[in-house]
Amino acid sequence: MAVDYAVIVVYLAGMLAMGWWGMRRAKSKSDFLVAGRRLGPAMYSGTMAAIVLGGASTIGGVGLGYQYGLSGAWMVFTIGLGLLALSVFFSARIARLKVYTVSEMLDLRYGGRAGVISGVVMWAYTLMLAVTSTIAYATIFDVLFDMNRTVAIVLGGSIVVAYSTLGGMWSITLTDMVQFVVKTVGVLLLLLPIAVVKAGGFSEMKAQLPTEYFDPLGIGGETIFTYVLIYTFGMLIGQDIWQRVFTARSDTTAKWGGTVAGTYCLVYALAGAVIGTAAKVLYPNLANADDAFATIVKDELPMGVRGLVLAAALAAVMSTSSGALIACATVANNDIWSRLRGMVRGPGEEHDEVGGNRAFILVMGVAVICTAIALNNVVEALTVAYNLLVGGLLVPILGGLLWKRGTVQGALAAVIVGGLAVIGLMASYGILANEPVYYGLLSSLAVYLVVSLATKPTDAAVLAAWRERLAGRAPDVAATPVPAPQ
C-alpha cells in the first residue's frame, strides 16, 4: 500500500498548496466569493461538474448500481438533468444578476424582506450538504488507513476548511479542476473498464445477474419521480450551484459550460451504475451496497491505480464539501449576519469583507466537522436538506424568474408554509417518505399563487430594476478591492 499512500499524500498536499496560491488572488469580495466572475468555459465546466458529483454520486451511485443494476444510474442522472435544465433555461439570467446569494436575488425580484427567511432555509440546506459530504471521509480513510471514524472526519474536513478559508472560491476552483481531472481518470478511465473486465465482460454480467438488473426502469417509477423532484429541481435553486454560476465570465459561458458539465454528469451516472453492477457479480453477498465501491477498489485494482482511484473518491467528496462549505458561509455572512450587523452598526462604519467571509468559512467549517462527528445517518440528513430546499424555496425562486405577478407576500408565505409543511409531514410520515416533499411543494405553490393574486402587485420601479439586472446592465457593486492578506 506504500505507493497508494504516497499518491494520496501528494494529492492532499497539492490541495493545500492550491489553497495557499488562491489566497494571493483573493483581493476583493468578488474574488473571494465568486472568483472575480472571471472563469472561462473550460474551467467553469470542470468546476461545475466537480461540485455536483460528490461522494453520494460516486460511492452512492456505485452502491445503487450494486443494488438495482443499470437503473441505479437514475439518482446521478437526475442531477445531470437538473444541471442541464439550469444551464439551458436559467443560468444566463442568473449570471447577469451580479449577486452573491439566492436570497439577494429574491430581494431584488420582490423588493426586499424575503432574504432573511429564505437565507435561514438555504443556510440549513448548505450546512447539511456540507456535513453529509464530510462524513464520507470516514469511509475512504477507513479503506486507506483503517482509521478511526472521528479522526478521518477531522483530517478530511480540516484540509477542506484550510484551503477554502485561505483562498475562498479561487482556491476551491483550482482544487476542483484538479479533482475533476483525478475523478475522470480514476473513475471513468481506470475503474470502469477494469471492473467490467474483472466481472467477465457484459455478456458474463448478463448471464450472472437477474434480467431486472438491465431494465432501465428497474428501480421503480415512483423512485425516479422522487429523484427528479428532489435532485433535478434541487439543482435549479441550490446556493452551492448558483454560486458557481456567478463565477462565469459571461452568460454564454454559464449556458454552454454548464451544458457540457451536465452531459458529463449523465456519462458519470451510467459509469457508476455499471461499476456497481460489475461489483454485484464479483461480490454478490455484501452486507451493505455502499461498500461496493470500496470493496472493488481494494480487492481488484493494482497498486498505484488503487491509490489514484481512492484519490478520485476523495476528490469527489472534497469538491462537494468545499462548494457546500463556502455556500453555507456566504449565506450565513451575507444573508443573515450582515443584516443583523446592519441594524446595530453605525452609518459609514467599514469592515474587511474578505476577512469577514474568511472568518465565516472557518467558523462554519468547524461547525460542519463537529456536526459530522455527532451525526450517524447520512441519508436522513441529506433528505431533510433537500426536502427543505425544494419544499420551501423552489416555488418563490422559479416563480420570481417566470411570473411577474408574484409578490413578496406570496414568496414569504410560500417559504414559510412549504417549509413548515415539509417538517410536519416528515414528523408524521417519516424522514425518508416521499409524501413530505410532494405535499410540501404543492402547499407552497398553492399559497404562492393565492397570496400573490390577493395582494398588491410588485412595485413597477422594483420590476424595472429587476429587468435591468436580468439584462446585464447592473454593475457588480460589491467588487471593490480590499488589502490582500499578509
Side-chain angles (χ1 to χ4, degrees):
M1 294 288 287
V3 175
D4 298 324
Y5 292 160
V7 171
I8 297 296
V9 169
V10 169
Y11 168 76
L12 293 177
M15 296 301 98
L16 291 174
M18 292 288 185
W20 181 260
W21 188 85
M23 184 179 71
R24 312 310 304 174
R25 302 198 64 171
K27 298 180 180 180
S28 71
K29 179 180 178 180
S30 179
D31 286 336
F32 194 80
L33 295 183
V34 291
R37 307 189 197 275
R38 296 200 297 269
L39 297 193
M43 187 167 284
Y44 178 87
S45 297
T47 58
M48 183 63 86
I51 188 177
V52 300
L53 296 174
S57 300
T58 303
I59 298 171
V62 172
L64 287 172
Y66 182 89
Q67 191 172 358
Y68 297 104
L70 297 186
S71 67
W74 272 106
M75 184 188 76
V76 183
F77 202 81
T78 55
I79 291 174
L81 292 178
L83 186 52
L84 285 171
L86 173 72
S87 302
V88 173
F89 298 113
F90 299 107
S91 63
R93 281 183 283 178
I94 293 171
R96 288 195 293 265
L97 288 175
K98 295 285 192 267
V99 295
Y100 294 102
T101 68
V102 175
S103 295
E104 287 180 27
M105 166 263 166
L106 292 174
D107 277 348
L108 284 171
R109 166 60 182 82
Y110 294 111
R113 295 185 293 164
V116 175
I117 295 177
S118 62
V120 170
V121 175
M122 188 64 76
W123 174 80
Y125 157 73
T126 53
L127 178 70
M128 295 313 298
L129 185 62
V131 166
T132 54
S133 300
T134 302
I135 291 173
Y137 296 126
T139 300
I140 299 169
F141 282 114
D142 178 59
V143 174
L144 278 171
F145 308 115
D146 193 23
M147 188 178 290
N148 175 271
R149 177 182 184 274
T150 299
V151 175
I153 289 172
V154 171
L155 176 60
S158 296
I159 292 172
V160 169
V161 171
Y163 71 69
S164 301
T165 301
L166 285 172
M169 187 60 82
W170 269 121
S171 293
I172 293 171
T173 297
L174 295 169
T175 55
D176 277 359
M177 281 305 298
V178 175
Q179 290 158 358
F180 172 75
V181 172
V182 171
K183 193 164 17 182
T184 300
V185 173
V187 175
L188 296 185
L189 301 184
L190 293 176
L191 181 57
L192 174 61
I194 291 174
V196 172
V197 170
K198 291 284 187 177
F202 284 105
S203 58
E204 183 64 19
M205 290 163 63
K206 287 185 176 181
Q208 292 287 334
L209 297 173
T211 55
E212 55 263 29
Y213 263 71
F214 302 91
D215 179 359
L217 304 179
I219 199 170
E222 184 178 353
T223 299
I224 295 172
F225 178 73
T226 303
Y227 284 158
V228 170
L229 200 59
I230 294 177
Y231 296 114
T232 301
F233 285 118
M235 288 294 106
L236 298 180
I237 59 175
Q239 169 67 25
D240 52 324
I241 309 301
W242 276 41
Q243 199 156 345
R244 294 309 172 99
V245 176
F246 299 150
T247 66
R249 72 183 178 198
S250 68
D251 52 7
T252 302
T253 296
K255 181 176 182 178
W256 295 111
T259 301
V260 171
T263 304
Y264 178 91
C265 292
L266 303 183
V267 175
Y268 200 87
L270 183 59
V274 171
I275 293 168
T277 304
K280 183 67 175 178
V281 173
L282 295 168
Y283 312 99
N285 299 312
L286 291 178
N288 186 346
D290 284 341
D291 292 337
F293 178 88
T295 303
I296 197 169
V297 168
K298 191 174 183 178
D299 293 349
E300 302 297 336
L301 298 186
M303 178 181 61
V305 173
R306 180 171 50 219
L308 183 58
V309 173
L310 287 171
L314 269 178
V317 175
M318 284 185 164
S319 57
T320 299
S321 181
S322 59
L325 175 59
I326 194 172
C328 177
T330 302
V331 170
N333 188 19
N334 291 269
D335 292 336
I336 301 173
W337 172 245
S338 65
R339 296 170 194 265
L340 298 176
R341 185 186 62 221
M343 296 177 184
V344 299
R345 192 180 63 198
E349 183 178 337
E350 296 182 357
H351 63 284
D352 180 356
E353 290 186 320
V354 172
N357 282 292
R358 183 175 281 123
F360 263 85
I361 290 180
L362 180 59
V363 171
M364 290 297 107
V366 173
V368 164
I369 292 172
C370 293
T371 306
I373 292 171
L375 202 62
N376 289 319
N377 197 314
V378 180
V379 176
E380 289 191 358
L382 195 61
T383 301
V384 170
Y386 272 100
N387 282 353
L388 280 173
L389 178 70
V390 174
L393 291 179
L394 178 67
V395 169
I397 293 172
L398 294 189
L401 290 169
L402 300 174
W403 191 42
K404 67 178 181 180
R405 186 60 181 81
T407 67
V408 66
Q409 294 89 351
L412 287 171
V415 173
I416 294 170
V417 171
L420 292 177
V422 164
I423 293 171
L425 290 167
M426 283 192 294
S428 175
Y429 285 96
I431 290 177
L432 298 180
N434 294 326
E435 288 83 358
V437 70
Y438 293 170
Y439 299 139
L441 186 55
L442 288 174
S443 63
S444 179
L445 176 60
V447 169
Y448 180 73
L449 294 174
V450 170
V451 174
S452 291
L453 292 173
T455 52
K456 183 180 178 181
T458 304
D459 186 84
V462 172
L463 289 178
W466 168 251
R467 286 191 291 269
E468 286 292 302
R469 284 274 188 164
L470 285 179
R473 292 191 287 267
D476 184 1
V477 296
T480 304
V482 296
Q486 300 300 318

